[in-house]
Amino acid sequence: MTTLVRERLKGRSHDLGDGFMIRRVLPSSSRHAIGPFIFMDHFGPLQLPPTQALDVRPHPHIGLATVTYLWEGRIEHKDALGNTQIIEPGAVNWMTAGRGIVHSERTPAENRGHAQALHGLQLWVALPLEHERCAPSFEHTDAAALPELSIDGASVRVIAGNAYGARSPVSTLSTLFYVDAHVPQGKTLCMPDEHVQRAAYLLKGDMHIDGEPLQVGELMVFEPGATIALSASADSHVVLLGGAPLDAPRYLWWNYVASSEVLLEEARQAWREQHYAMVEGDPEFIPLPDDDQQTLRLEAR
């Protein structure tokens, strides 16, 4: 393996319920985070039949921000703050959980009973220590508001953070970048070099880095400080992400991220006793998992 590449992370299949299968890329057994990104689910591309819908019932989060971005389909977000938002391709939903928030993610009513395409990513960002107990909030950014650049023939959108001299209007609390890029056959796109930790996830096409192939559905993690040129042997679609390393270790359990196991237990007890504000008009909820579910310590490296 070329010295430019530190690791290759293969996604694994995971059932979100009702047979809705996704590819979970982060955390992996060998690496827990890329910059502040600690979780990465890739869903699709898939075709849902008229009889199937996405129904992620109300559930809680603490200590993180969820970032949802679509290429196909529509998802309705509702949360306990009273926000209702249809997520459509190219837009960004950024929900900061802070000390705690409950939300649901479902197929909108007008799309039920119809076949539909769905393709997107959901990422989680560990909030900086000083903000992990902040007030929860929600921000939706339309696709038209995101910076779009042409770089050496590649088409680039800055979803969040800063890259290639552009900054996304999405409000973030961490130093990070998240980029959606289409690179035509024969063209090369260099990774942003201002961030310590960087990785690329190939969605479609054929790319290589200094002769080392990047596989579809694989997150390739690069050595800090290296000059990384992504060359396309076919028209390719790739996501680039990363940022500053975690500022301290975190504990991940279910939908909770915290700097201490004490905070995790407080959050578990709050959900057991239904102390969270709930999503108005939606009486369903996801029960707390069994206590024997593993707590993962996310290392700051």
Side-chain angles (χ1 to χ4, degrees):
M1 181 181 295
T2 175
T3 56
L4 300 179
V5 178
R6 173 165 286 190
E7 282 183 82
R8 292 173 172 272
L9 307 181
K10 296 284 190 183
R12 61 197 185 281
S13 295
H14 183 78
D15 190 347
L16 290 184
D18 299 324
F20 188 85
M21 302 300 296
I22 55 90
R23 178 190 295 270
R24 182 153 294 168
V25 184
L26 282 176
S28 75
S29 58
S30 62
R31 174 169 287 271
H32 300 152
I34 305 295
F37 294 100
I38 58 168
F39 181 94
M40 180 178 183
D41 270 1
H42 178 202
F43 46 94
L46 53 82
Q47 292 287 329
L48 295 179
T51 55
Q52 187 178 11
L54 173 67
D55 278 305
V56 181
R57 293 167 291 161
H59 57 281
H61 291 285
I62 65 167
L64 57 84
T66 64
V67 191
T68 307
Y69 184 79
L70 300 178
W71 292 285
E72 291 183 286
R74 302 172 85 236
I75 297 175
E76 182 178 64
H77 160 98
K78 287 188 175 183
D79 63 47
L81 300 177
N83 297 296
T84 296
Q85 179 64 56
I86 303 296
I87 314 170
E88 296 185 315
V92 181
N93 259 28
W94 187 286
M95 185 184 75
T96 300
R99 58 178 174 261
I101 193 171
V102 175
H103 77 136
S104 64
E105 298 152 297
R106 299 183 184 269
T107 296
E110 58 269 29
N111 294 105
R112 291 175 182 265
H114 303 281
Q116 57 184 310
L118 192 61
H119 187 203
L121 285 174
Q122 185 172 97
L123 306 177
W124 293 357
V125 175
L127 297 177
L129 284 176
E130 61 181 312
H131 297 295
E132 73 168 333
R133 302 288 289 169
C134 69
S137 62
F138 172 80
E139 179 181 318
H140 175 83
T141 303
D142 288 334
L146 300 179
E148 296 197 20
L149 312 170
S150 179
I151 302 173
D152 297 328
S155 176
V156 170
R157 302 183 83 230
V158 182
I159 300 171
N162 63 286
Y164 303 111
R167 174 172 288 277
S168 166
V170 175
S171 301
T172 63
L173 297 170
S174 307
T175 300
L176 59 84
F177 76 102
Y178 181 14
V179 166
D180 180 17
H182 291 266
V183 186
Q185 181 179 0
K187 300 296 183 179
T188 296
L189 177 66
C190 289
M191 290 283 292
D193 60 8
E194 66 267 35
H195 297 277
V196 177
Q197 294 186 347
R198 299 166 298 163
Y201 183 76
L202 186 61
L203 295 154
K204 181 181 179 180
D206 187 352
M207 305 193 84
H208 61 273
I209 297 90
D210 194 28
E212 187 74 22
L214 175 57
Q215 305 295 333
V216 171
E218 170 185 80
L219 189 68
M220 182 178 276
V221 184
F222 304 111
E223 290 290 346
T227 298
I228 306 297
L230 304 165
S231 300
S233 302
D235 291 349
S236 298
H237 185 190
V238 65
V239 165
L240 316 177
L241 57 85
L246 294 176
D247 52 2
R250 296 294 198 282
Y251 295 92
L252 171 64
W253 186 88
W254 191 37
N255 302 315
Y256 296 149
V257 173
S259 59
S260 74
E261 294 191 82
V262 171
L263 291 176
L264 288 183
E265 182 52 38
E266 290 177 358
R268 281 192 286 263
Q269 191 65 19
W271 191 241
R272 284 190 197 99
E273 299 176 1
Q274 293 292 285
H275 288 169
Y276 285 88
M278 301 299 286
V279 177
E280 186 175 353
D282 193 337
E284 294 189 306
F285 64 91
I286 300 176
L288 195 76
D290 295 336
D291 287 339
D292 60 1
Q293 179 165 318
Q294 181 185 7
T295 298
L296 181 62
R297 178 183 165 95
L298 309 177
E299 299 297 338
R301 61 178 179 86

